[in-house]
Amino acid sequence: MQILGETIIGQRSVRGDAGEVFALAAATGEKLQPAFGASSLADVNTACELAEDAFDAYRQLPDERRALFLEAIAQGLLDLGDTLIERVHQESGLPKPRLEGERMRTVNQLKLFASLVRDGRWHGAVIDNALPDRTPLPRADLRLRRIGIGPVAVFGASNFPLAFSVAGGDTASALAAGCPVIVKAHPAHLGTSELVGRVIQKAAYDTNMPAGVFSMVIDKDISVGQALVSHPLISAVGFTGSRRGGLALVAAAQARPVPIPVYAEMSSINPVFLLPAALSARADSIAKGFVESLVMGAGQFCTNPGILLALESDHLEAFVAAAAHALSDKLPTTMLTPNIHGAYCNGLNSLHSASGVELVAEGKEAESAYQARPAFFRTDSATFLANPGLEEENFGPSALLIVCKDADDLRNVATKFAGQLTVTLHVDEGDHTIAQALMPTLERKAGRILFNDFPTGVEVSYAMVHGGPFPATSDSRSTSVGATAIDRFLRPVCYQSVPDSLLPPALQQGNPLDTWRLVDGHLTKG
């Protein structure tokens, strides 16, 4: 499949006339061919109008049709073969084996949502049969189901150019919910975005979807993204990226005459609690696991372990020594973009110059431009609490250890953390009392709590939560990974005394979809 530098508007491909933009090679910063034509505001409007025209037809398709569409996208990604992986590697600098794994994760997300659509539970069907003889007042026949919220704008992420981008979790869950999608391609991987966008376009054609079910626009500056979020036909937004970018979209969405939800996954430092008995039993292995998690993907994961907390002890010092030794052997790795590399270096400079913060260890020096040198720092709880800037995410392979005096000090620091995607505890049997005391606080702080593991790596499954309280996300009730990600793009509708022949299939008396429903308070397939 050839990359042409074009915008995708439904089943048409057009060259944007709002200027030229280029993707850059992550390793060198050089321009990659071809030049892309930036989308105009007229392109944005056309895509939104097409999506609105497609919405009712698409959301009312039989569940099987939408499931087949999602599966066709998944197969198309596999059919691209090395063409896709090579381009992603050029644009992101990520290793090819990592990208092969990410492609399978993307494929599996699409298949998960296809399965979810087929089983019908996403309808959330509830039936309260009429009680005409109830006294003092009769009850009408009441039935509830969920429908798609409307056309959805999706903003691709820099750090997951496949799994959180054009065909990633936001797109897959919105399409599963019956919502047309307009993607704003991430400027760091324009070629990747076009390849994947053409796969979705072809899958839509092959499965006879409405023309406006998918579009993809390209930006030269922030005006395209702002116009997309502000457009009156867009009903929700999915975003993964920086806090500044996410909050700008939230502000634009709230400033509309009709505000809409923005599901923004933004920033997290993912605290890791190293409890005493665990360090006593296995300080060395925990240290090695921590370092591997820290440097994975040049530290460019939303779930990178950026903060460690532990009680002062000889066992902690053994952990620090082991981590320093493991980190000192780590090679620098290319970061996703020159801008991300620059921000990481600025973050390192701030940590180096911060009063009361000590450098523990660094990886090997960078050998070329845009490589990240891993770094590990330490401080004490009093210094951390007195300097709010130390809690800011430094996106990349750096971490800060906070040494606490006792369990009360540890719990006090935990209460001061902002919202997180994850928190992790390394515990042994002797740590259960401390862990139990921490759990109520940690439940309020994070969307996922891990024991004796590290947070990098997010399983695509029914139980997964990849979300959390602000500023990890803009809406703590949602997740961007896992089956319940579909909930973001659905809303409930109640049908009162509607004739059976006019009800949607999920609510008809004979249950033609053969799906589970809550009928008069009882879960049944009847």
Side-chain angles (χ1 to χ4, degrees):
M1 185 182 290
Q2 188 177 2
I3 300 171
L4 302 175
E6 294 179 336
T7 292
I8 296 171
I9 307 292
Q11 284 300 321
R12 296 187 301 115
S13 296
V14 300
R15 180 149 189 101
D17 60 5
E20 283 192 341
V21 290
F22 289 86
L24 304 179
T28 64
E30 296 175 355
K31 291 180 179 179
L32 294 171
Q33 295 297 326
F36 286 76
S39 304
S40 66
L41 298 186
D43 292 330
V44 172
N45 185 62
T46 300
C48 291
E49 289 180 343
L50 274 175
E52 174 65 19
D53 288 344
F55 176 45
D56 281 333
Y58 179 62
R59 72 180 179 85
Q60 294 184 89
L61 287 174
D63 294 348
E64 178 66 16
R65 291 275 307 281
R66 288 212 304 281
L68 289 172
F69 175 37
L70 293 169
E71 289 171 340
I73 299 170
Q75 186 59 49
L77 294 177
L78 294 174
D79 291 344
L80 280 177
D82 292 340
T83 299
L84 177 61
I85 298 303
E86 184 61 40
R87 182 69 185 206
V88 188
H89 173 65
Q90 286 182 298
E91 292 183 335
S92 69
L94 296 169
K96 292 181 182 179
R98 144 76 195 270
L99 294 171
E100 292 281 2
E102 187 181 333
R103 173 162 59 182
M104 284 311 304
R105 171 179 168 170
T106 309
V107 166
N108 290 335
Q109 282 181 148
L110 289 158
K111 290 182 176 180
L112 172 72
F113 283 108
S115 175
L116 184 68
V117 168
R118 277 195 179 96
D119 75 23
R121 285 178 293 174
W122 68 273
H123 290 286
V126 179
I127 297 173
D128 294 329
N129 283 300
L131 297 175
D133 298 325
R134 189 183 67 176
T135 57
L137 293 173
R139 182 177 77 190
D141 184 89
L142 300 170
R143 298 174 184 236
L144 176 150
R145 69 153 177 167
R146 302 189 299 173
I147 68 169
I149 197 170
V152 172
V154 170
F155 287 71
S158 63
N159 59 336
F160 279 87
L162 298 175
F164 276 87
S165 195
V166 177
D170 287 342
T171 296
S173 56
L175 291 175
C179 300
V181 169
I182 303 172
V183 172
K184 190 195 79 65
H186 195 283
H189 38 80
L190 295 173
T192 300
S193 297
E194 183 178 326
L195 288 172
V196 176
R198 290 190 183 280
V199 164
I200 302 175
Q201 185 185 49
K202 182 177 185 301
Y205 179 82
D206 289 346
T207 57
N208 198 27
M209 294 295 114
V213 74
F214 173 78
S215 295
M216 186 188 80
V217 295
I218 298 167
D219 65 333
K220 187 177 178 64
D221 52 41
I222 64 171
S223 61
V224 166
Q226 290 285 332
L228 192 55
V229 174
S230 301
H231 199 285
L233 297 180
I234 293 297
S235 298
V237 178
F239 170 87
T240 299
S242 69
R243 188 186 306 185
R244 183 177 66 177
L247 292 181
L249 297 185
V250 170
Q254 292 303 307
R256 294 168 36 135
V258 179
I260 59 172
V262 175
Y263 298 105
E265 191 249 283
M266 297 180 291
S267 62
S268 182
I269 54 174
N270 305 296
V272 178
F273 292 79
L274 310 173
L275 300 190
L279 288 182
S280 175
R282 51 184 191 280
D284 188 67
S285 65
I286 294 174
K288 291 176 180 176
F290 155 66
V291 170
E292 293 301 319
S293 180
L294 178 69
V295 303
M296 184 184 296
Q300 299 166 120
F301 284 83
C302 324
T303 51
N304 198 53
I307 291 285
L308 305 177
L309 302 96
L311 305 184
E312 53 189 9
S313 70
D314 292 341
H315 298 301
L316 173 60
E317 298 310 315
F319 165 86
V320 171
H325 178 73
L327 192 66
S328 65
D329 288 334
K330 292 299 178 183
L331 296 171
T333 45
T334 300
M335 299 197 81
L336 293 161
T337 70
N339 286 342
I340 288 174
H341 176 263
Y344 174 69
C345 292
N346 289 338
L348 286 185
N349 291 337
S350 296
L351 288 167
H352 278 293
S353 62
S355 177
V357 175
E358 169 194 352
L359 175 66
V360 175
E362 290 181 293
K364 295 187 180 299
E365 290 189 23
E367 298 176 350
S368 61
Y370 314 129
Q371 286 187 331
R373 186 180 190 184
F376 182 30
F377 299 84
R378 72 183 289 171
T379 189
D380 57 61
S381 57
T383 300
F384 179 80
L385 293 174
N387 293 274
L390 294 178
E391 193 179 345
E392 293 181 8
E393 179 187 27
N394 186 29
F395 192 63
S398 75
L400 175 65
L401 168 67
I402 305 169
V403 182
C404 299
K405 296 177 182 179
D406 51 34
D408 288 339
D409 191 22
L410 188 72
R411 191 161 54 250
N412 182 47
V413 175
T415 64
K416 300 300 192 293
F417 281 130
Q420 306 292 331
L421 293 172
T422 73
V423 293
T424 300
L425 298 95
H426 283 269
V427 306
D428 216 330
E429 189 172 350
D431 296 316
H432 286 191
T433 299
I434 299 177
Q436 188 173 42
L438 283 169
M439 285 294 285
T441 297
L442 302 186
E443 288 171 338
R444 295 175 61 183
K445 296 294 181 181
R448 178 163 59 114
I449 300 171
L450 301 85
F451 271 60
N452 295 330
D453 203 344
F454 288 97
T456 40
V458 182
E459 182 70 26
V460 177
S461 69
Y462 287 88
M464 177 52 64
V465 172
H466 189 62
F470 184 87
T473 66
S474 58
D475 189 329
S476 63
R477 300 165 296 178
S478 65
T479 175
S480 60
V481 179
T484 52
I486 196 174
D487 294 345
R488 299 173 296 170
F489 306 122
L490 294 167
R491 67 176 182 86
V493 177
C494 180
Y495 302 77
Q496 181 169 330
S497 301
V498 175
D500 192 67
S501 62
L502 297 180
L503 285 168
L507 298 180
Q508 289 174 7
Q509 198 67 20
N511 193 11
L513 300 183
D514 192 34
T515 188
W516 287 99
R517 309 190 295 187
L518 191 67
V519 179
D520 294 331
H522 300 285
L523 192 62
T524 178
K525 273 197 171 185

